[in-house]
Amino acid sequence: MTKLIILIFALFSGSVEAAQISAKHFPWVQAAADSGASELQICGSSKIVPSRRSIQRHFLVGAEKRGYFATGLPTIEKYFQVLATHNLAEAKVEMEKLFSNAELWTVTTEVQSLGKPTAVELPFTATVKDCVEGAKTTLGNDCSKNAGVNLTSCCREKFVGPVVIWGSKQDHKLYFSPDPSVSLKVPNESTHRYCNVAEPMKLRAKQLQ
């Protein structure tokens, strides 16, 4: 009973360790570590989760059996913290900074970095703070009839987030809208991939072990 109580406390206190991904099982992890990253956000089919078995099954997908992951993306907490504490102009400046150093990687038989974004589009017309103060959301929703937690939830719901773009042809696009999901559009695929940005994976590479 005591062990159960400790486990429940750990889950709700946020003390459960983040999932890890090892170069022992996935050699391409080493390239991310060599770039200076300490964690990554895994992308894949709609079934992708941050676990070894899931990555083995749902990471290398599509006709070319290609995988994608990102490094340097802001956490969900940081993302919403900026939106909750800044009005539109200031938030767009901060968002530009947050996403300008993100890096997208592609994996086949080799691993390759697509580098930093070639563009960061910021299509939202109001932040969460703006909405709480009376503005309509980017989708035109009026949340003013709500109060307290319900008001904030309404303002965050289906928030239209940044579009982060990579490549000389600007054909890799990450739609960073965590509600309902962060999706990745890549060339020659009609179906978007999903990126688990809510649960970054800690790297276990040679120099980190």
Side-chain angles (χ1 to χ4, degrees), residues 21-59:
I21 184 168
S22 173
K24 176 181 177 181
H25 303 117
F26 304 104
W28 43 264
V29 167
Q30 188 63 47
D34 289 344
S35 75
S38 60
E39 61 184 26
L40 60 80
Q41 291 87 359
I42 200 75
C43 305
S45 73
S46 59
K47 297 180 180 179
I48 194 76
V49 296
S51 74
R52 183 169 135 196
R53 176 170 294 191
S54 178
I55 294 170
Q56 289 171 335
R57 294 180 178 182
H58 308 299
F59 176 65

Side-chain angles (χ1 to χ4, degrees), residues 39-181:
E39 61 184 26
L40 60 80
Q41 291 87 359
I42 200 75
C43 305
S45 73
S46 59
K47 297 180 180 179
I48 194 76
V49 296
S51 74
R52 183 169 135 196
R53 176 170 294 191
S54 178
I55 294 170
Q56 289 171 335
R57 294 180 178 182
H58 308 299
F59 176 65
L60 296 172
V61 296
E64 298 179 353
K65 295 300 179 184
R66 182 183 300 273
Y68 289 89
F69 67 90
T71 57
L73 288 173
T75 64
I76 297 295
E77 292 77 14
K78 179 62 176 179
Y79 170 75
F80 277 116
Q81 185 261 332
V82 169
L83 294 174
T85 57
H86 293 73
N87 293 113
L88 184 62
E90 295 86 356
K92 289 197 170 187
V93 171
E94 289 300 313
M95 286 291 177
E96 182 79 31
K97 293 177 182 177
L98 284 178
F99 287 93
S100 63
N101 289 319
E103 197 164 353
L104 186 65
W105 302 73
T106 178
V107 179
T108 50
T109 54
E110 298 179 345
V111 57
Q112 178 185 3
S113 169
L114 299 183
K116 301 297 193 294
T118 52
V120 178
E121 297 179 353
L122 302 167
F124 55 91
T125 58
T127 64
V128 173
K129 185 175 189 291
D130 291 326
C131 174
V132 168
E133 293 173 351
K136 289 186 177 181
T137 69
T138 303
L139 296 177
N141 296 330
D142 183 357
C143 297
S144 61
K145 294 181 181 180
N146 296 278
V149 175
N150 291 334
L151 174 57
T152 302
S153 296
C154 178
C155 292
R156 285 177 50 151
E157 185 178 7
K158 296 182 179 178
F159 192 91
V160 180
V163 181
V164 190
I165 303 170
W166 288 269
S168 59
K169 297 182 180 179
Q170 298 196 332
D171 50 5
H172 293 75
K173 297 184 178 183
L174 182 77
Y175 296 86
F176 199 95
S177 298
D179 182 8
S181 62

Side-chain angles (χ1 to χ4, degrees), residues 183-203:
S183 62
L184 176 67
K185 181 71 177 71
V186 301
N188 305 316
E189 292 186 13
S190 58
T191 302
H192 286 211
R193 298 180 183 224
Y194 295 86
C195 297
N196 193 314
V197 301
E199 301 172 280
M201 302 188 75
K202 297 292 184 182
L203 304 185

